[in-house]
Amino acid sequence: MSDSDTQRPAVQPGLIERMPVHRGRIVDLGVDTVRYPDGSTGELEMIRHSGAAAVLPVLSDPDGPDPQIVLIRQYRYASGGWLYEVPAGRPDRPGEPWDECARRELREETGLEAGTLRPLTAIWTTPGFTDERIHLFMATDLTAGETEFDADEFVETVTVPLSEALRMVRDGEISDGKTICTLLYAAGFVFGR
């Protein structure tokens, strides 16, 4: 054991104190006083978020040569325009299971009902300032239903082959982080491309 090991503080890194700044409909902003791994302390602006579920709808046989998928094209004020995305959204209530959230968002934004929902992975969106985590899924065995858009959602659905969606990622036409992660994860680990 080195001298530096014996001088490390016995306390664990983490939250010391939270000072709320703003409580909103989607996020809570606060300033957290934290202890770092070396024992020092500092203040971090933190956005608390409920998390979300995102789902890749696959219309055709996922084992086929170039599966047909559904994306949404949605107006996003923060990005200054329209983005191609996988359907996604936040829980309706605290503790809503992530698979329920994914099924509901898929139905509301595309009108599609998932016969099979497969968990893929979960991602931290921007862990430098938020605890938002998005749970990624893939939906197959789809049946058509009705959409239910929120008042601030302006959405249209787009059907493309997986190869086209991957080209859109490569060429920067798809720039939404959760969508890029979902498509690349599915392409690499589910479809084997």
Side-chain angles (χ1 to χ4, degrees):
M1 185 180 292
S2 71
D3 288 340
S4 63
D5 288 337
T6 60
Q7 295 173 1
R8 288 198 176 133
V11 295
Q12 292 294 315
L15 178 68
I16 296 171
E17 180 182 29
R18 176 172 294 130
M19 182 181 69
V21 174
H22 170 75
R23 184 173 211 77
R25 182 175 63 90
I26 296 176
V27 299
D28 295 334
L29 173 63
V31 177
D32 290 1
T33 303
V34 300
R35 184 171 324 282
Y36 298 115
D38 69 355
S40 64
T41 61
E43 289 187 343
L44 297 172
E45 294 174 350
M46 283 295 299
I47 295 173
R48 305 286 174 198
H49 188 279
S50 63
V55 58
L56 174 64
V58 182
L59 288 175
S60 62
D61 180 0
D63 295 325
D66 198 5
Q68 293 288 308
I69 65 167
V70 176
L71 298 174
I72 60 172
R73 186 172 172 264
Q74 181 164 322
Y75 176 76
R76 295 291 196 176
Y77 170 76
S79 72
W82 296 85
L83 292 178
Y84 289 101
E85 303 179 41
V86 290
R90 299 179 316 113
D92 268 357
R93 65 185 191 286
E96 179 182 25
W98 294 114
D99 60 334
E100 275 183 37
C101 182
R103 286 179 185 280
R104 179 179 42 74
E105 289 296 329
L106 175 65
R107 183 183 65 254
E108 289 176 1
E109 295 185 354
T110 68
L112 297 170
E113 297 275 351
T116 303
L117 191 68
R118 175 182 174 173
L120 299 177
T121 191
I123 60 171
W124 296 102
T125 59
T126 42
F129 64 85
T130 183
D131 63 355
E132 180 186 26
R133 194 160 191 216
I134 300 180
H135 302 264
L136 310 180
F137 294 86
M138 183 178 82
T140 55
D141 306 316
L142 302 171
T143 56
E146 296 293 321
T147 57
E148 297 175 35
F149 300 125
D150 294 336
D152 64 349
E153 286 183 317
F154 300 91
V155 175
E156 59 188 51
T157 58
V158 179
T159 301
V160 296
L162 178 65
S163 61
E164 176 66 6
L166 294 174
R167 183 207 55 79
M168 293 168 74
V169 168
R170 183 195 65 215
D171 294 348
E173 293 174 46
I174 294 177
S175 57
D176 173 64
K178 71 181 173 305
T179 302
I180 292 170
C181 288
T182 305
L183 288 168
L184 294 181
Y185 187 97
F189 300 116
V190 177
F191 301 121
R193 296 196 164 31

